[in-house]
Amino acid sequence: MKKTIKIFLSAITLFTLNICTISGYYAINLPDSYYVSDGGSLELSTVFSIDAVSDNNTASVSRNNVSGVQKTSLKLFGMFPVKNVDVRTLQQPMLVPGGQPFGIKLLMEGVMIVGTGEVKTDNGIKCPAQECGLCKGDVILSANGKPVTTNDEILEIVSDSEGSSIEIIYTHENEQKKTTLKPALSASDGEYKAGMWVRDSMAGIGTVTFCEASTGRFGGLGHPVCDSDTGEIIPISSGETAQVTINQVLKGTAGTPGELHGTFSSALSNGIIYNNNEYGVFGEMFLIPDDIKPILMGLKQDVKEGHATIRTTIDETGPHEYDIEIEDIDYNGDKTKNMTIRVTDEELIQKTGGIVQGMSGSPIIQDGKLIGAVTHVLVNNPEKGFAIFCENMYESGISG
C-alpha cells in the first residue's frame, strides 16, 4: 500500500513539474499582446495546446482600424494558467506585396554631427564643439534661434559669428538640450570654425515590402535608415522615393556580405517618405502596381516554421519569388529579428549567395499571406538571415 502511494505521489510530482516547466516556457516565449482579425478569435499554433480565454468585462478605447484592449488568459490544455495577454481586434488589411527596389532620399530634421575635430588657433589647439558638450550623433536643430536644416546654414552662422557665442538647441539621445558654442579662429585660413562635421541628408536603395492599394501608403526596409558614421537613426523632416534599376549583384560569401548595386533611373520622385523609425521607412507611393493582386497581412501567430517564399529583385527582370525556410520564431527578441530564415532556392543561392545588402524589405509570403520582410543577413553564412513580422511594420508605420 505504501509503495503504491509512493508511486502515485511520484507520478503526481512529475506531472506537476512537467506542467510547470511547459507553462513557464510558454510564459517566457509567447508575446504579451496579439492582434486578431475582425470577428475572429485568438488561436495559437503551439506544440502543446494553449487556449485563449477572454475576460468580456475588460476593454479600452479603440483607435483607427484597431479595437480596444481585451484582457485574455492563456491556459495550457485549457486548464493551467500560463500568462495574461492583451488582444486587440484588427481589420486585417489587404496588402500588395512589394519586392521592387526603390530609391530613398531623406532630408534630416536638423543637421547631424558625424564627427568632431581640432581647430589650430594662434592660442593652441581647440575643439569648440567638444568644449560645449556636443558630440558625434547629436542633431543640431537651431543656432541663435534660427532653425538649421542644411550644412551650409550652420557653416554660414559659424563663419559670420566673428567669434561671438552661438546658442545651440540640439538633441542628444532623443533628449532636447541647449548649449553655447564659441567658434575658434583658424590660424590656417582666418575663418571661424566649430570643430565639427555635419550631415543634412542621405540617399540609398532598399526594397518595398507592401503597399495599400486603397491609400498608396507603403512600408519598406524593415529596419531604420541609420547614419553610416554614427549608427544613429536619421531623424527626417521630409523624404522622397525614386525609381531604381538593379544592374549588378555582388555575390555574398562567408565573412563578406554581398550587395545589390543599382542606379536611380529617374530624377523624378515617385513617392514621399514621412517616417523613418525602428521598423522601416514609410510613406505614400504615387503609383501602385495594378498587376499584382493584394493578399491578406498575416499576424504573428499565423507564422510557422517551415516553407515560405521571399519576393525580391536581383536584376532588370523585376521581382520574383524564391524559396526559403523559416527556421526559428522569436516573439520577444530584437524588434527587427522576429524570424530566422534560410534561403533554399538554388537559383537565388547561385546568383547572390543567399541574402545580400539591398534585399532589406523583401516581403515574405507564407500560406498566401504577407507575414514579414527580410531585414539582416548573417555575415558568416549569407544563406541565413533575420526577418521582421509584417504586423510590426504595419502597426508602427501605417496604422499607428
Side-chain angles (χ1 to χ4, degrees):
M1 183 66 178
K2 290 182 179 181
K3 185 177 181 180
T4 301
I5 294 175
K6 187 175 181 180
I7 293 174
F8 176 76
L9 292 176
S10 297
I12 291 294
T13 301
L14 182 60
F15 174 79
T16 303
L17 181 62
N18 287 335
I19 290 295
C20 290
T21 300
I22 296 170
S23 297
Y25 171 83
Y26 284 129
I28 294 172
N29 289 282
L30 291 178
D32 296 325
S33 63
Y34 291 89
Y35 287 112
V36 295
S37 60
D38 192 12
S41 58
L42 179 59
E43 296 182 3
L44 302 181
S45 181
T46 52
V47 176
F48 297 97
S49 175
I50 299 287
D51 294 330
V53 181
S54 299
D55 181 353
N56 294 322
N57 295 318
T58 60
S60 66
V61 180
S62 61
R63 62 176 174 83
N64 294 343
N65 62 340
V66 180
S67 78
V69 177
Q70 183 74 52
K71 297 296 183 181
T72 301
S73 297
L74 301 185
K75 295 186 176 182
L76 180 64
F77 305 125
M79 299 173 57
F80 305 102
V82 173
K83 67 189 304 184
N84 294 324
V85 298
D86 294 335
V87 176
R88 296 174 177 86
T89 299
L90 172 73
Q91 294 177 11
Q92 213 164 341
M94 299 291 291
L95 303 175
V96 177
Q100 65 270 32
F102 73 113
I104 302 168
K105 302 177 182 179
L106 300 179
L107 183 64
M108 295 185 187
E109 183 180 8
V111 295
M112 178 178 285
I113 300 173
V114 296
T116 58
E118 299 175 340
V119 179
K120 293 182 179 180
T121 74
D122 291 336
N123 298 319
I125 304 271
K126 295 186 177 181
C127 181
Q130 289 183 0
E131 290 169 5
C132 72
L134 295 173
C135 61
K136 183 177 178 180
D138 291 347
V139 177
I140 298 175
L141 302 176
S142 68
N144 282 341
K146 180 183 178 180
V148 175
T149 58
T150 68
N151 300 347
D152 290 341
E153 287 175 347
I154 189 67
L155 177 63
E156 182 180 358
I157 291 172
V158 172
S159 297
D160 293 346
S161 69
E162 296 185 352
S164 298
S165 297
I166 302 171
E167 183 181 83
I168 300 291
I169 304 296
Y170 68 104
T171 59
H172 174 77
E173 296 180 350
N174 297 320
E175 181 182 354
Q176 186 166 302
K177 295 186 175 184
K178 181 168 64 175
T179 189
T180 300
L181 173 77
K182 188 169 179 58
L185 183 63
S186 172
S188 61
D189 58 13
E191 296 286 339
Y192 284 98
K193 298 183 178 180
M196 62 185 180
W197 294 276
V198 296
R199 180 175 294 141
D200 60 13
S201 61
M202 68 79 58
I205 294 175
T207 300
V208 175
T209 303
F210 60 79
C211 295
E212 275 192 327
S214 59
T215 64
R217 295 180 297 182
F218 81 94
L221 278 189
H223 62 69
V225 177
C226 296
D227 184 82
S228 58
D229 292 300
T230 67
E232 299 289 331
I233 296 177
I234 294 176
I236 67 170
S237 61
S238 62
E240 59 183 34
T241 65
Q243 290 184 329
V244 165
T245 299
I246 300 298
N247 48 40
Q248 184 183 14
V249 177
L250 294 183
K251 189 173 182 179
T253 58
T256 305
E259 186 175 4
L260 297 178
H261 283 188
T263 56
F264 285 43
S265 52
S266 172
L268 298 177
S269 169
N270 64 356
I272 59 173
I273 295 172
Y274 53 65
N275 196 357
N276 173 39
N277 65 30
E278 294 174 299
Y279 300 92
V281 296
F282 304 90
E284 293 183 17
M285 291 285 189
F286 299 150
L287 183 64
I288 305 299
D290 56 8
D291 58 340
I292 305 173
K293 183 179 179 181
I295 61 177
L296 199 65
M297 182 187 79
L299 302 175
K300 58 176 172 269
Q301 63 268 24
D302 296 330
V303 182
K304 59 187 180 183
E305 295 178 5
H307 178 261
T309 61
I310 61 170
R311 180 177 166 85
T312 195
T313 299
I314 59 174
D315 55 34
E316 69 280 356
T317 63
H320 296 280
E321 287 193 29
Y322 301 95
D323 294 325
I324 66 167
E325 285 284 315
I326 298 175
E327 296 191 331
D328 186 56
I329 302 169
D330 186 355
Y331 295 107
N332 299 312
D334 188 284
K335 296 175 182 178
T336 62
K337 297 179 180 179
N338 307 130
M339 296 173 270
T340 302
I341 62 174
R342 178 172 57 88
V343 175
T344 57
D345 195 288
E346 291 299 328
E347 179 185 358
L348 188 60
I349 293 172
Q350 180 184 4
K351 292 182 177 180
T352 68
I355 301 168
V356 297
Q357 297 177 67
M359 281 187 185
S360 293
S362 298
I364 299 175
I365 299 169
Q366 186 180 61
D367 296 333
K369 297 178 182 180
L370 204 166
I371 62 167
V374 177
T375 57
H376 299 82
V377 59
L378 292 180
V379 175
N380 291 327
N381 183 358
E383 293 182 12
K384 297 184 68 172
F386 296 104
I388 185 175
F389 293 137
C390 187
E391 172 188 311
N392 290 353
M393 292 182 65
Y394 186 85
E395 178 187 32
S396 70
I398 306 297
S399 70

